[in-house]
Amino acid sequence: MSAAATILWKDLLSEWRSRATATTTVVFALLILLVFNFSLDLEGEHLSAVGPGLLWIALLLPAMFGLGRGIAEEYDRGTLEGTMLTPIDSASLFVGTVAGNLVLALAVQVPLVVVFAILFPLPVVQPAFLPVLVLGSLGLALLTTLVATMTSVARVRELLLPVLVLPLALPILIASVAATDQILRPGQTPPIPWVGVLAAFDGIFGVAALWGFDRLLED
Amino acid sequence: MADSSYALEAHGLGKAFGGRFVLQDLDLRLPWGSSLVVFGANGAGKTTLQRVCATLVRPTRGEVRIAGWEPRGNTADIRRAIGVVAHQSYLYAELTASENLAYYGRLYRVAGLEQRIALLLATLGLLHRRHDPVRLLSRGQQQRLALARALLHGPRLLLLDEPDSGLDEPGFAILRRLLADHRAAGGSALVTSNVIERGLQLGDQAACIQSGHLTPMGATSSLDAAAVAEALEESTGRMAPRGGLRGVKPS
């Protein structure tokens, strides 16, 4: 088993035992969806126009807080230091952590998309949405892992995390919303350009994060 | 393995945090097969010395060679050569004792990992708790498991920061025996302690650290707890903390 796979195994097993992040993230996202559902009386064209944005806000906010929590806890408990004391390279640590966050994000988001489709009658449960969900979630996992590592030493990290993640997540949010909008409108072509934007963001940000992660871990 | 007759070498070592030097002009030579116990009051620089030797913090000035390597560019080799016990156990609360060791063992690529885990758990008296999550283990049992984690990959240099913390007498006897075996096999250990009686049993050489300066005290076989306490008092200019330096009898 590679170092990244070992870290992924540890993260998923820890989360499976505690279910702390998954539970709070699901509850947070459900509350957002319910608040939108009760406060906005959306039908027809209005729903089609606003729906993709609502969906991605409901997916983004809980993911941002939930995915950042793991690395902050590792820092507090000293386990991040324990892993850093092993002879693995920082890239393996980053890839394993991002993979764990991605799996966790998708495990939470897939049922949330179904709940969204029940509360807001839009055809989001379709194969064309899957690449958008996976690439959007990967971008969020990359971003939150990197920023959570940066802010883990800060006293006000709970405030710093959204302040730093939200502006950086805008390209993901814009591309994901636009791609989802294109999927939901009848007669539209597949959202290949927007999926391309998401893939490009993930690729560029992933490479930059791999390069910078090593420096973040130094004292 | 880099060719060196010393497990640890430091010359003029200094480490500052925010302009304040925690370690200053520190010189240290620890030969292979030897164990140095460093005494010092809280805040004297013991933990910072351990963290510099563990490559967790970079020295501000001076040189350090760990297991024969300079830290820059050799961290992976150094980390394979060292085993660290720190104030935090580095254990995952939700994973079992076995799973924690399996996690670290895979990162170290330990051969015959299952057998190695079973052997260490048996040695440390934890075999019957191997399937229990770490959060259910007592403080002393977690410390034993932290020792198992540090020894898992067979490191040649042990960096032990107050390794007896939380250990009962049987646990301390195991620690003493493991350290003796480690030395006999040619390994070395840098041990920091603020419990004089116990600390003297963990090293063959002693030193005290105060305000970041390291002062050799000689062989532990020639020292008793009162002499160490006296030396510490002289170096600190005040009485050793009553709770921390338990080997000291009230005068």
Side-chain angles (χ1 to χ4, degrees):
Chain A
M1 195 186 280
S2 72
T6 302
I7 289 164
L8 172 65
W9 166 79
K10 173 265 296 174
D11 283 350
L12 294 182
L13 190 58
S14 292
E15 178 57 28
W16 178 252
R17 296 263 166 77
S18 72
R19 294 183 181 88
T21 303
T23 308
T24 47
T25 308
V26 165
V27 171
F28 187 20
L30 280 176
L31 284 173
I32 291 173
L33 287 177
L34 286 173
V35 167
F36 283 158
N37 190 248
F38 286 121
S39 58
L40 303 170
D41 188 17
L42 296 170
E43 284 181 347
E45 273 298 304
H46 292 300
L47 178 59
S48 299
V50 179
L54 296 184
L55 172 63
W56 276 98
I57 288 171
L59 296 180
L60 168 74
L61 291 179
M64 187 175 64
F65 289 107
L67 302 185
R69 188 174 163 271
I71 202 100
E73 274 195 6
E74 288 240 11
Y75 179 82
D76 286 346
R77 293 180 180 177
T79 45
L80 181 62
E81 194 169 285
T83 301
M84 283 164 55
L85 277 169
T86 64
I88 63 164
D89 56 299
S90 59
S92 298
L93 175 56
F94 184 71
V95 170
T97 307
V98 168
N101 277 339
L102 177 62
V103 172
L104 179 61
L106 289 174
V108 168
Q109 287 173 346
V110 168
L112 282 173
V113 170
V114 175
V115 172
F116 178 85
I118 294 166
L119 292 174
F120 302 91
L122 287 170
V124 283
V125 184
Q126 55 170 301
F129 183 62
L130 195 61
V132 181
L133 184 67
V134 171
L135 289 172
S137 301
L138 176 59
L140 290 178
L142 285 166
L143 198 55
T144 46
T145 303
L146 191 72
V147 176
T149 309
M150 282 168 62
T151 57
S152 57
V153 294
R155 274 187 298 176
V156 288
R157 66 180 174 217
E158 289 81 8
L159 289 173
L160 263 182
L161 186 71
V163 166
L164 291 174
V165 167
L166 278 175
L168 291 170
L170 267 181
I172 305 170
L173 194 63
I174 291 167
S176 301
V177 170
T180 309
D181 181 57
Q182 206 163 331
I183 290 165
L184 296 181
R185 287 183 188 274
Q188 290 275 12
T189 53
I192 292 169
W194 287 113
V195 171
V197 170
L198 278 174
F201 178 88
D202 290 355
I204 293 167
F205 197 79
V207 171
L210 274 175
W211 178 80
F213 194 64
D214 192 35
R215 283 146 189 85
L216 281 181
L217 295 176
E218 291 176 0
D219 68 315
Chain B
M1 174 67 59
D3 184 28
S4 174
S5 47
Y6 294 102
L8 266 177
E9 280 182 276
H11 303 288
L13 192 67
K15 177 65 191 174
F17 293 104
R20 179 179 164 266
F21 272 87
V22 180
L23 299 179
Q24 295 190 70
D25 299 325
L26 190 143
D27 293 320
L28 169 67
R29 272 185 171 177
L30 178 65
W32 288 112
S34 174
S35 173
L36 174 71
V37 58
V38 177
F39 296 105
N42 296 336
K46 301 189 299 290
T47 297
T48 303
L49 175 61
Q50 291 278 17
R51 291 177 67 78
V52 168
C53 294
T55 68
L56 287 169
V57 294
R58 281 188 194 162
T60 308
R61 63 167 73 130
E63 293 170 14
V64 63
R65 289 177 75 86
I66 305 148
W69 282 289
E70 286 180 8
R72 188 174 290 273
N74 296 308
T75 48
D77 289 321
I78 290 172
R79 288 171 182 183
R80 247 178 241 114
I82 61 172
V84 178
V85 171
H87 288 183
Q88 289 172 304
S89 68
Y90 299 151
L91 300 171
Y92 290 87
E94 299 299 332
L95 303 188
T96 67
S98 287
E99 286 164 350
N100 266 285
L101 295 184
Y103 169 65
Y104 283 106
R106 285 173 192 155
L107 295 185
Y108 281 108
R109 297 186 175 277
V110 174
L113 184 59
E114 298 264 321
Q115 293 86 348
R116 180 77 179 149
I117 290 171
L119 176 69
L120 280 168
L121 288 176
T123 305
L124 284 146
L126 288 172
L127 203 54
H128 64 296
R129 303 298 306 267
R130 64 188 181 280
H131 298 310
D132 290 335
V134 161
R135 63 183 161 78
L136 297 182
L137 301 183
S138 71
R139 170 76 186 89
Q141 287 171 326
Q142 288 189 24
Q143 188 68 3
R144 290 183 187 211
L145 191 57
L147 279 167
R149 182 195 46 70
L151 295 164
L152 188 62
H153 54 294
R156 291 191 69 202
L157 172 61
L158 291 173
L159 302 170
L160 310 177
D161 195 1
E162 298 177 22
D164 60 316
S165 175
L167 289 183
D168 55 12
E169 281 307 318
F172 181 68
I174 293 170
L175 168 65
R176 217 174 43 210
R177 197 174 64 241
L178 284 170
L179 269 175
D181 292 347
H182 180 71
R183 278 200 306 270
S188 296
L190 175 69
V191 185
T192 49
S193 176
N194 59 8
V195 183
I196 297 174
E197 271 186 351
R198 281 190 161 189
L200 285 174
Q201 298 175 59
L202 298 178
D204 47 29
Q205 294 289 317
C208 76
I209 190 167
Q210 174 57 29
S211 303
H213 294 282
L214 193 72
T215 310
M217 300 173 86
T220 51
S221 55
S222 65
L223 294 168
D224 59 27
V228 176
E230 198 175 317
L232 278 171
E233 279 175 38
E234 279 173 17
S235 70
T236 58
R238 58 186 166 84
M239 285 295 289
R242 184 173 296 184
L245 299 172
R246 285 204 295 266
V248 188
K249 287 180 182 169
S251 58

